[in-house]
Amino acid sequence: MARMPLAERRRQLTAAAIRAMTRDGVSRTTTRSIAAEAGVSLSVFHYCFDSKQALLEAVLTTISDDYITVVREAIRPRATLHETVRAGFRAYWDHVAAHPGEHMLTYELTQYALREPGFEHLARRQYALYCDTYAQLLEELGQRIDFELLVPVPMLARYLAAMTDGVTLNFLVLGDAAAAADILDMITDHVAGLIRER
């Protein structure tokens, strides 16, 4: 087995964990199965992650970072503010449609963390990350477009997190992509109405 830097090995194991958990579910995925998925020994796994909490945190962060990057790249000034907001939602939705298993995994990890004593902070961290990310995206957009929010940034960020979370779960349960896209369009209209260009 080739030696590689610790950070790279952690990325390799995190990607393997995402594949294994998406395929088999959180409860049926073991450290041994993740090591096998990555093609490394169990001792390499334990060298890279000193606890299951550290692994789950890496999994949640990696999945979130992937779609946040996609949304961040999509949110650039368009012809209208409404089109700019819609582009961000569309980029998020395209990620959900392309990776439904990963998004389902995030819900499974949330439930697991809430039910497993000592892991509750992971669920809180996950949802705080969602809100913080939306707040950051709003601030970045404000640096490119001069606008005024009709509600405080933290409130709008929490609203965006709740709405996208709900639409995603609804789609994962019902499988109706067209209905989910219609709801996102409605949310886009509402959010655009809370932002006033100067």
Side-chain angles (χ1 to χ4, degrees):
M1 176 174 42
R3 291 178 59 89
M4 64 173 65
L6 178 62
E8 188 176 342
R9 185 67 79 189
R10 283 175 62 93
R11 283 192 294 273
Q12 176 193 25
L13 284 162
T14 300
I18 291 169
R19 289 192 306 272
M21 290 179 182
T22 299
R23 182 184 63 239
D24 303 328
V26 174
S27 64
R28 289 187 298 276
T29 301
T30 63
T31 54
R32 190 174 301 281
S33 66
I34 293 168
E37 181 79 23
V40 302
S41 69
L42 195 55
S43 62
V44 169
F45 177 92
H46 289 298
Y47 174 73
C48 293
F49 292 101
D50 59 1
S51 69
K52 191 169 186 179
Q53 290 184 18
L55 170 68
L56 296 184
E57 188 169 338
V59 166
L60 285 168
T61 300
T62 298
I63 293 173
S64 298
D65 285 351
D66 285 350
Y67 75 75
I68 289 166
T69 298
V70 169
V71 172
R72 181 171 277 122
E73 290 171 359
I75 297 181
R76 60 181 188 280
R78 312 285 171 143
T80 66
L81 185 58
H82 186 278
E83 288 177 30
T84 303
V85 172
R86 189 175 193 286
F89 279 125
R90 178 53 53 192
Y92 170 78
W93 188 249
D94 287 346
H95 192 278
V96 172
H99 308 280
E102 287 186 13
H103 287 271
M104 188 178 302
L105 175 58
T106 64
Y107 291 102
E108 191 175 351
L109 287 168
T110 303
Q111 292 299 313
Y112 176 86
L114 289 173
R115 291 183 178 277
E116 191 71 18
F119 283 64
E120 303 90 344
H121 71 282
L122 290 177
R124 289 192 294 273
R125 183 189 175 281
Q126 177 187 5
Y127 276 77
L129 174 64
Y130 295 162
C131 292
D132 292 347
T133 297
Y134 277 113
Q136 187 178 40
L137 289 172
L138 286 166
E139 289 171 12
E140 289 174 12
L141 186 59
Q143 293 170 1
R144 300 175 186 170
I145 301 173
D146 189 21
F147 64 77
E148 173 190 7
L149 291 178
L150 303 183
V151 295
V153 168
M155 182 184 296
L156 183 54
R158 187 177 290 265
Y159 171 79
L160 290 169
M163 291 298 100
T164 52
D165 193 48
V167 173
T168 303
L169 184 56
N170 187 276
F171 166 70
L172 292 174
V173 172
L174 300 177
D176 192 338
D182 288 344
I183 293 169
L184 275 180
D185 284 342
M186 184 170 67
I187 296 170
T188 298
D189 292 343
H190 186 224
V191 170
L194 296 174
I195 304 173
R196 179 183 300 149
E197 282 191 87
R198 290 187 175 125

